[in-house]
Amino acid sequence: MADDVSVTPFSFEGYVKGVRKGTVSSMQIFKQVLCSAKYGFKCVADFGISRAMGFSFLHSLVDSSVEVHSPEHEVVIALGSNVGNRLQNFNEALRLMKKSGIYITRHGCLYETEPAYVTDQPLFLNSAVRGITKLAPHDLLKVLKQIEKELGRTDGIRYGPRPIDLDILFYGNFKINSEVLSVPHERIWERPFVLAPVVDLLGSSAENDDIMSWHSFTKQADGIFGAWDNLGGESSIGREGLRRVLPIGNRLLDWSKKTHVMGILNLTPDSFSDGGKFQSVDAAVSRVKSLISEGADIIDLGAQSTRPLAPRITPEEELHRLIPVLEAIQPIPELDGKVLSVDTFYSEVAATAVSKGAHVINDVSGGQLDPNMFKVVADLEVPYVVMHMRGDPSTMQSGENVLYENVCKQVSSELYARVSDAEQSGIPAWRIIMDPGIGFSKKSDHNLEILMGLPTIRREIASKSFAASHAPMLIGPSRKRFLGDICSRPIAEERDTATVAAVTAGILVERKLIVLQFLGYGADDKEHVPSQRTLMLVQGTGGIVAGVVASCITTPLDTIKTRLQVMDPEKRGTARQVVKRLIVEDGWKGLYRGLGPRFVSMSAWGTSMILAYEYLKRLCAKDEIKVLS
């Protein structure tokens, strides 16, 4: 450590004295630091356990004063840029940090923000990273200043434009004050564009002593979360000059503004849905034009079938199918402003596809089927879809791969493990899209539970990483077998209305808008709803909701409670009794009358009603509809 620096390890001095005197319990310490129900903090209820943990915690902090020269320290570094290619400046800064001995473990989301203090300048990009380093605080500062210099930063107006700005926000559990360095950063608590990505680096469950010390530095009862709430919290995202964005190509996508529709182009001869229809280049180009005219925002090209038991082809064969079409569709004017995604689990295919113009890599294996995928995608610097799947397409529906005790919690845990591995391999959280893998390693009931449980999946992931929990979510129920099982539609082409209903259910239950996977066809009943209208329903821009299934899958109890309020009092009973009566005595027509026609899309109600009917029967059978209070 330099002689001119004052380094103070974090400690609750007052609390320490109180504990020693017996006037303050370790339970109070932990309640002060950790107990925030709003953010899902996990609190220790048992006093004995809390007491033991509390004293261990305090001991580690007091002893940390002699560990200034310990091999490694956890740090948080803020990034900002508003000159030149802002995203490329971030990418290069991260590369140079890694080269200089800073191992990045987590990334915040990416934010485009209005400038503060000096307002007459371009918009900023802001984020933050967590990392591990052996560098002492002032050595770390020197490294960051050198990186700024290499990226073109010069002395200029304070708070003025700069190609890169790198600030040390936290260094271990120490407070540092010197002529050139203050940690925590002196203005961190007044800056939403700094606090937002700092919160992203945390989870709702405390992880270690360093993080507890970072919370304490705020002098807020709820720590960093309380400080963030004081600045507007999550409600300020999307306004107040603070947008959470996803970098795609040469633009920044604010994906929360609307639901984005992904149109699927299968280039395989054996896809379960439309295999063999679009293998010629001309047919594929025509299909892309059709998908775009029907409202697709993203075109996803797949040249390898991932249906259950599909044989695996080589990267060479996949590229042989993919590249001619990828090259042929790019000149068409309709593609302007659209996103091109390639569905592959081969790193070789991913690299070639991006070199030929693809913007996104969509990997159904989440990096499990090619050990080089994460590294390759990290170097490609493109968004990456991480999907949940157990095994591979040939084994994913085997007995052991479809066993779950709690499907939403287990999918959350396994999906986050893949996201974390991707992030530690160099793929920033701001480039990750999550997919819970509907139809992959799941039975029909599991897929329904996932559609209902999208908020649960986000919440479980948030306990480990808020950044990951904020990632765009892709769901793909299109024409899948579970819809056919429920609706008795063995032919994939006859599951379109059920697809619309399932997609709408996903939109309604997941309050944060979702990036959706959809094939863009019309309805399968005799009326043949136009595809444009179908997509309008999916995007949520029309006045019609695709069926009672959406309401039943998303909030069955709330829906039934609403209807119970206006039913004849003599016919009221528990929700379970009412639904059973509607189903058993009156069939689906009674269900339709009981829940109300306002929930039903008249052009797609047939399949939707069947889907709702079967789903509610399962709820009744499993006694999952409880007695109303």
Side-chain angles (χ1 to χ4, degrees):
M1 283 286 178
D3 294 335
D4 62 343
V5 61
S6 170
V7 180
T8 305
F10 159 74
S11 65
F12 294 108
E13 295 180 3
Y15 280 126
V16 173
K17 292 177 182 177
V19 169
R20 289 172 178 168
K21 292 179 180 179
T23 58
V24 178
S25 71
S26 56
M27 170 63 82
Q28 290 174 293
I29 296 175
F30 271 78
K31 281 185 176 179
Q32 182 74 12
V33 181
L34 298 180
C35 297
S36 174
K38 182 174 181 180
Y39 289 93
F41 270 76
K42 294 181 179 177
C43 303
V44 182
D46 181 82
F47 179 81
I49 296 176
S50 177
R51 183 181 178 90
M53 291 178 64
F55 279 111
S56 174
F57 166 60
L58 291 170
H59 179 73
S60 70
L61 292 176
V62 172
D63 281 357
S64 66
S65 60
V66 300
E67 294 189 31
V68 173
H69 299 287
S70 66
E72 294 181 337
H73 290 282
E74 188 163 24
V75 298
V76 174
I77 299 169
L79 298 88
S81 174
N82 74 335
V83 172
N85 187 326
R86 299 171 298 172
L87 188 60
Q88 188 55 42
N89 292 340
F90 275 25
N91 293 335
E92 186 63 14
L94 293 178
R95 187 187 69 81
L96 292 173
M97 277 193 254
K98 181 179 179 181
K99 184 178 178 182
S100 302
I102 306 165
Y103 173 63
I104 305 299
T105 57
R106 290 198 182 188
H107 308 72
C109 298
L110 193 66
Y111 297 87
E112 187 172 54
T113 66
E114 293 181 359
Y117 312 118
V118 178
T119 58
D120 186 19
Q121 56 178 318
L123 297 177
F124 275 84
L125 275 190
N126 290 100
S127 191
V129 295
R130 268 171 68 177
I132 302 293
T133 185
K134 296 180 180 179
L135 295 168
H138 283 73
D139 293 333
L140 175 60
L141 178 64
K142 290 177 183 177
V143 165
L144 297 181
K145 292 299 181 185
Q146 181 59 34
I147 292 173
E148 290 180 340
K149 183 177 180 180
E150 289 186 36
L151 294 180
R153 182 170 179 180
T154 58
D155 293 336
I157 303 172
R158 183 171 172 80
Y159 305 126
R162 71 287 306 271
I164 195 70
D165 188 18
L166 303 172
D167 289 321
I168 304 172
L169 302 182
F170 298 116
Y171 185 95
N173 58 12
F174 297 101
K175 285 186 175 180
I176 303 169
N177 290 288
S178 74
E179 293 182 359
V180 295
L181 180 62
S182 294
V183 177
H185 193 278
E186 56 187 347
R187 308 195 79 163
I188 182 175
W189 314 121
E190 67 184 50
R191 298 176 173 179
F193 59 87
V194 175
L195 269 186
V198 167
V199 170
D200 293 339
L201 299 175
L202 309 175
S204 60
S205 299
E207 302 166 56
N208 57 45
D209 292 358
D210 284 349
I211 291 173
M212 287 188 277
S213 71
W214 301 345
H215 282 295
S216 77
F217 292 150
T218 68
K219 299 181 181 179
Q220 298 276 338
D222 290 334
I224 293 171
F225 302 136
W228 174 226
D229 278 348
N230 289 342
L231 296 180
E234 186 66 19
S235 65
S236 64
I237 304 299
R239 57 186 182 85
E240 308 293 340
L242 188 65
R243 297 192 309 136
R244 189 178 285 138
V245 293
L246 174 72
I248 296 184
N250 58 2
R251 59 197 173 106
L252 299 173
L253 178 66
D254 185 351
W255 58 271
S256 68
K257 292 296 184 183
K258 71 166 204 171
T259 300
H260 290 77
V261 177
M262 176 182 277
I264 307 302
L265 178 60
N266 287 315
L267 305 176
T268 60
D270 55 347
S271 168
F272 80 93
S273 175
D274 55 4
K277 291 184 178 180
F278 308 111
Q279 285 188 280
S280 75
V281 171
D282 289 345
V285 170
S286 176
R287 176 62 167 164
V288 169
K289 291 180 179 180
S290 175
L291 288 170
I292 293 173
S293 72
E294 292 167 358
D297 303 292
I298 306 167
I299 303 297
D300 186 67
L301 289 75
Q304 172 136 220
S305 177
T306 52
R307 62 175 173 78
L309 303 178
R312 189 184 303 190
I313 64 172
T314 65
E316 292 75 20
E317 176 62 21
E318 190 173 336
L319 286 169
H320 178 73
R321 297 175 181 176
L322 173 68
I323 297 306
V325 174
L326 183 58
E327 291 177 334
I329 64 176
Q330 292 188 65
I332 65 176
E334 292 90 342
L335 203 62
D336 185 43
K338 304 300 181 182
V339 174
L340 282 176
S341 168
V342 167
D343 186 340
T344 185
F345 48 72
Y346 286 135
S347 60
E348 179 183 339
V349 175
T352 304
V354 171
S355 72
K356 298 293 185 179
H359 304 116
V360 176
I361 296 302
N362 181 6
D363 181 2
V364 299
S365 79
Q368 296 182 94
L369 299 183
D370 186 334
N372 296 320
M373 180 62 93
F374 287 163
K375 182 180 184 305
V376 168
V377 172
D379 292 340
L380 292 173
E381 298 178 353
V382 297
Y384 179 58
V385 180
V386 180
M387 196 192 81
H388 175 269
M389 177 175 67
R390 293 173 172 177
D392 59 37
S394 67
T395 64
M396 64 184 182
Q397 296 303 120
S398 63
E400 60 182 11
N401 284 332
V402 293
L403 290 178
Y404 297 93
E405 292 184 5
N406 184 315
V407 66
C408 287
K409 286 190 175 183
Q410 287 175 263
V411 166
S412 301
S413 177
E414 293 166 22
L415 182 58
Y416 177 69
R418 303 312 303 152
V419 169
S420 180
D421 287 348
E423 193 172 6
Q424 294 189 46
S425 298
I427 304 175
W430 65 66
R431 288 203 270 113
I432 288 176
I433 299 169
M434 295 188 300
D435 183 343
I438 290 176
F440 290 80
S441 311
K442 283 91 177 173
K443 295 180 180 178
S444 293
D445 282 353
H446 297 147
N447 294 314
L448 290 172
E449 289 179 43
I450 287 172
L451 273 176
M452 273 198 308
L454 294 175
T456 299
I457 292 174
R458 280 203 189 275
R459 189 165 54 249
E460 289 294 318
I461 290 175
S463 70
K464 303 177 179 70
S465 167
F466 281 114
S469 75
H470 291 319
M473 190 175 289
L474 173 68
I475 62 169
S478 304
R479 289 186 173 181
K480 287 189 175 171
R481 181 175 176 177
F482 80 100
L483 298 174
D485 290 344
I486 294 170
C487 301
S488 299
R489 299 295 179 104
I491 301 173
E493 289 85 347
E494 296 180 355
R495 302 170 189 164
D496 296 346
T497 303
T499 295
V500 175
V503 163
T504 307
I507 294 173
L508 294 179
V509 73
E510 174 55 36
R511 299 310 179 193
K512 293 182 180 180
L513 295 178
I514 312 165
V515 181
L516 291 165
Q517 184 179 10
F518 193 69
L519 284 163
Y521 8 79
D524 57 330
D525 57 25
K526 294 180 180 179
E527 292 187 53
H528 294 291
V529 181
S531 296
Q532 182 63 44
R533 186 178 183 190
T534 304
L535 284 174
M536 182 177 69
L537 296 178
V538 175
Q539 289 177 303
T541 57
I544 302 173
V545 177
V548 67
V549 59
S551 299
C552 292
I553 288 181
T554 57
T555 52
L557 272 180
D558 289 345
T559 301
I560 295 163
K561 283 180 182 178
T562 300
R563 302 309 303 169
L564 281 174
Q565 292 173 359
V566 297
M567 289 177 67
D568 186 336
E570 293 183 1
K571 293 185 178 180
R572 290 187 182 182
T574 67
R576 180 166 177 261
Q577 290 169 342
V578 170
V579 173
K580 271 195 169 180
R581 182 168 64 249
L582 291 173
I583 291 174
V584 176
E585 295 178 7
D586 299 323
W588 61 263
K589 289 183 179 179
L591 181 62
Y592 171 83
R593 289 194 301 270
L595 294 175
R598 67 189 180 89
F599 292 110
V600 180
S601 163
M602 297 310 295
S603 61
W605 68 272
T607 303
S608 297
M609 289 304 304
I610 295 171
L611 188 56
Y613 173 69
E614 292 297 328
Y615 181 69
L616 284 174
K617 278 205 302 186
R618 295 183 188 199
L619 286 180
C620 289
K622 294 163 70 174
D623 202 22
E624 289 184 2
I625 297 180
K626 305 299 182 183
V627 176
L628 292 176
S629 58

